[in-house]
Amino acid sequence: MNNTVLHKANSRGHADHGWLNAYHSFSFASWYNPDRVQFGMLRVLNDDTVAAGMGFGTHPHDNMEIITIPLEGDLAHKDSMGNAATIKTGDVQVMSAGTGIQHSEFNPNHDQHTKLFQIWVFPKYRNVTPRYQQITLDATEQKNNFAQILSPTAEDAGVWIYQDAWFYLADFDAAFSKKLALKKEGNGFYIMNIDGEIEVNGERLEKRDALGLWDTNEIEIKATTNAKFLVMEIPMEQ
């Protein structure tokens, strides 16, 4: 029997700072829930809306794999490694913070907000040399498919991080169903439903609901409406 945890959209932590409207799937900043600290090695999943022309000032990170997935609009990035780039909707960016980095992120547009997921995953190794990577995804690969956007190796599809994790983005038509098998034994799945409605192994997820599953080798996801979602395969233990 597989184990599951359901995180309904309205059960997340919420902070509205005016310039930033943030929903936290796991304990973050001033929101702390002892039952919602992490899912395996997945530490943070923030669903952020950044107001036009606003953003995060320069701040530090270390020993964390940080993944940014814009959902609407753009995000201008600068860091202490010398990278200056704009991450657009359809891109994915990763930073291995390792021994330490400083970075800032701003919405460069003055006429629209930016929506994004910021995800933190504990790394497999501590104190690595910091690194940065950004790619543009092919959205057509997500149509009725689990399009891999992240893996543990540079040779595989998508960006890579220092952890045995695989991420997929999918865009399913209503009534379409597909199975996905684990890449590594002992890992779990965490599914964040971005839009629409899906069923994961029979469990119904509405917009921004999430489901974690472990002790299972395979999941089946069926779209009950047109739906977009993110699947993360995550080590449950370090």
Side-chain angles (χ1 to χ4, degrees):
M1 179 66 184
N2 62 299
N3 293 300
T4 62
V5 59
L6 176 63
H7 292 157
K8 297 293 287 183
N10 63 6
S11 73
R12 297 178 295 172
H14 181 223
D16 190 346
H17 302 286
W19 68 273
L20 171 68
N21 190 17
Y23 289 89
H24 311 308
S25 293
F26 303 100
S27 296
F28 190 83
S30 61
W31 184 67
Y32 178 74
N33 179 336
D35 298 322
R36 299 274 287 271
V37 175
Q38 64 195 85
F39 177 82
M41 294 297 102
L42 175 61
R43 174 61 189 89
V44 166
L45 172 50
N46 287 347
D47 183 359
D48 292 343
T49 300
V50 183
M54 303 300 285
F56 304 89
T58 302
H59 58 281
H61 294 282
D62 67 77
N63 287 310
M64 195 65 74
E65 302 295 303
I66 300 167
I67 302 103
T68 302
I69 304 173
L71 303 172
E72 291 179 27
D74 311 316
L75 199 66
H77 165 96
K78 285 186 180 179
D79 65 44
S80 53
M81 295 177 279
N83 299 296
T86 298
I87 324 161
K88 299 179 177 296
T89 301
D91 293 350
V92 58
Q93 176 218 63
V94 296
M95 288 187 300
S96 298
T99 53
I101 57 162
Q102 303 248 354
H103 77 134
S104 64
E105 300 159 295
F106 282 88
N107 177 355
N109 301 311
H110 292 280
D111 56 353
Q112 70 175 88
H113 60 230
T114 296
K115 288 179 179 274
L116 63 121
F117 286 155
Q118 184 165 117
I119 300 162
W120 297 5
V121 176
F122 288 112
K124 194 173 181 178
Y125 312 107
R126 289 185 60 81
N127 298 324
V128 300
T129 301
R131 59 176 291 273
Y132 176 93
Q133 186 185 10
Q134 176 184 341
I135 63 168
T136 298
L137 304 170
D138 181 352
T140 62
E141 293 179 357
Q142 300 168 24
K143 195 61 172 176
N144 294 327
N145 186 43
F146 298 109
Q148 184 176 295
I149 66 164
L150 176 146
S151 80
T153 62
E155 293 75 37
D156 213 341
V159 292
W160 66 274
I161 62 171
Y162 288 105
Q163 188 51 274
D164 295 327
W166 288 263
F167 286 13
Y168 307 86
L169 278 171
D171 179 3
F172 279 15
D173 292 328
F176 184 79
S177 178
K178 192 175 175 74
K179 292 181 178 179
L180 180 65
L182 269 187
K183 292 273 196 179
K184 185 175 181 183
E185 188 177 353
N187 281 2
F189 288 109
Y190 194 84
I191 300 99
M192 166 57 80
N193 191 29
I194 298 170
D195 207 6
E197 207 171 284
I198 59 175
E199 288 182 359
V200 183
N201 289 8
E203 183 83 57
R204 182 164 160 262
L205 300 185
E206 298 175 306
K207 182 176 179 177
R208 296 306 207 267
D209 290 349
L211 183 72
L213 305 94
W214 64 101
D215 293 340
T216 185
N217 294 319
E218 185 179 72
I219 52 172
E220 182 172 13
I221 300 183
K222 179 183 179 181
T224 46
T225 69
N226 291 348
K228 294 184 179 182
F229 54 91
L230 171 67
V231 180
M232 292 171 275
E233 179 183 328
I234 296 286
M236 298 308 292
E237 297 178 353
Q238 187 63 283

